[in-house]
Amino acid sequence: MHPERKILLVVNPVSGGTAKDEIFNIAIARSKIEPFELLIYQTTGVEDLEAIGHLVSTQQPERVIVAGGDGTIGMVARTLAQTEAIMGIIPAGSANGLSVDFALPTSFEEAFDIALGSHVIAMDAVDINGDICLHLGDIGLNALLVKNYEMNDSRGKIGYAKEMLKTLSEHNNFRVQIDYPEGRLETEALIVIIANGAKYGTGVNINPKGSISDGFFELVIARRLNFIESAKILTGSTDFDPDILQIVSTKSAHLVCPDHGVHFQIDGEYKGEVKELRIEIIEKYVHVAVPAPHP
């Protein structure tokens, strides 16, 4: 008997610099046990969004499981936006920031258990100049790091650390004006993070106030590097020195960099230099299978 359930597996074969054979083998084995009809799509970097969207609309899978980093996950989420289909995540990128936020296991077997499981949330997204951000976007220091990482075709955490040292020597602060419904800020900044989630893929909790499904995003404005304020973030404190670091929770914002363009990235993908960002929360953007909360 042909199974009625359809599950689409989307795999980025180059993400994380590792082979994906284990992922394919697990998916095929699960499809025979569950059972379900398994559809597989491997990204190529050419018109992937359109191809995945076509598969979703014509095949109507009940779930789409993504094996890749934040960029691949974000692309798939766009094809599932405001539908009843569920997205599952297999952490298979270099940093896996969204997966870290969800506390997904690094074991592919365990990640499949969750991706096929029954605990599902409706997560928000952030519209930034018409692009969709599921996790973290930013202007400044980290965006330059993402650019350097992409340009040098680095892979893995060692490559990331090497590019961080280079980026710290290149980056300069910038002026930014931020208007949001609750107020206005004008400041010099090292980085401004647009945070739907809480953690970078390294595990650093950059946004202790954040929740990925609370109807708000946070602007994390760091004016300079400071060990004490960084330690507060790592320990989950929100009692920051406002001269060094400030966090604003809001539903919309307008950022302007009056002097020059500033490096900008969304979910680990470099977008170029920008002088202006218009930002809006999109509530309950996509359904995602996540670990069940501990009792």
Side-chain angles (χ1 to χ4, degrees), residues 182-205:
E182 298 81 6
R184 187 172 205 238
L185 284 171
E186 294 187 41
T187 185
E188 185 175 280
L190 177 75
I191 183 173
V192 177
I193 303 168
I194 304 109
N196 189 35
K199 296 179 181 180
Y200 278 118
T202 55
V204 174
N205 187 5

Side-chain angles (χ1 to χ4, degrees), residues 11-137:
V11 178
N12 183 337
V14 300
S15 63
T18 58
K20 305 300 187 296
D21 293 349
E22 183 184 356
I23 292 172
F24 292 123
N25 291 337
I26 293 171
I28 291 167
R30 294 293 179 96
S31 71
K32 295 175 181 177
I33 295 169
E34 296 281 340
F36 53 80
E37 181 182 350
L38 178 64
L39 311 169
I40 296 177
Y41 178 85
Q42 293 191 66
T43 62
T44 64
V46 179
E47 297 185 351
D48 289 316
L49 179 65
E50 294 78 5
I52 296 167
H54 179 73
L55 280 170
V56 168
S57 63
T58 57
Q59 299 296 321
Q60 297 189 329
E62 100 177 17
R63 294 191 186 219
V64 179
I65 298 177
V66 192
D70 288 343
T72 309
I73 294 167
M75 177 175 60
V76 170
R78 288 174 64 184
T79 71
L80 304 178
Q82 269 115 34
T83 71
E84 294 302 312
I86 297 168
M87 182 170 68
I89 298 171
I90 309 298
S94 296
N96 301 313
L98 190 60
S99 302
V100 170
D101 245 331
F102 284 138
L104 293 175
T106 55
S107 159
F108 292 151
E109 283 277 6
E110 294 176 8
F112 264 99
D113 288 339
I114 293 166
L116 294 168
S118 59
H119 191 68
V120 177
I121 65 166
M123 71 171 288
D124 301 332
V126 185
D127 182 311
I128 309 177
N129 282 7
D131 267 325
I132 295 299
C133 173
L134 290 184
H135 184 227
L136 297 171

Side-chain angles (χ1 to χ4, degrees), residues 131-184:
D131 267 325
I132 295 299
C133 173
L134 290 184
H135 184 227
L136 297 171
D138 51 60
I139 56 173
L141 177 65
N142 186 63
L144 178 57
L145 170 60
V146 170
K147 177 189 178 185
N148 288 339
Y149 187 73
E150 288 182 357
M151 285 183 62
N152 290 293
D153 199 30
S154 301
R155 288 288 180 263
K157 296 187 183 300
I158 293 176
Y160 209 78
K162 187 195 305 184
E163 296 305 329
M164 172 59 87
L165 293 175
K166 175 185 176 184
T167 301
L168 286 170
S169 68
E170 293 178 356
H171 181 67
N172 294 312
N173 280 20
F174 56 93
R175 283 201 308 134
V176 62
Q177 300 167 357
I178 305 172
D179 289 288
Y180 56 105
E182 298 81 6
R184 187 172 205 238

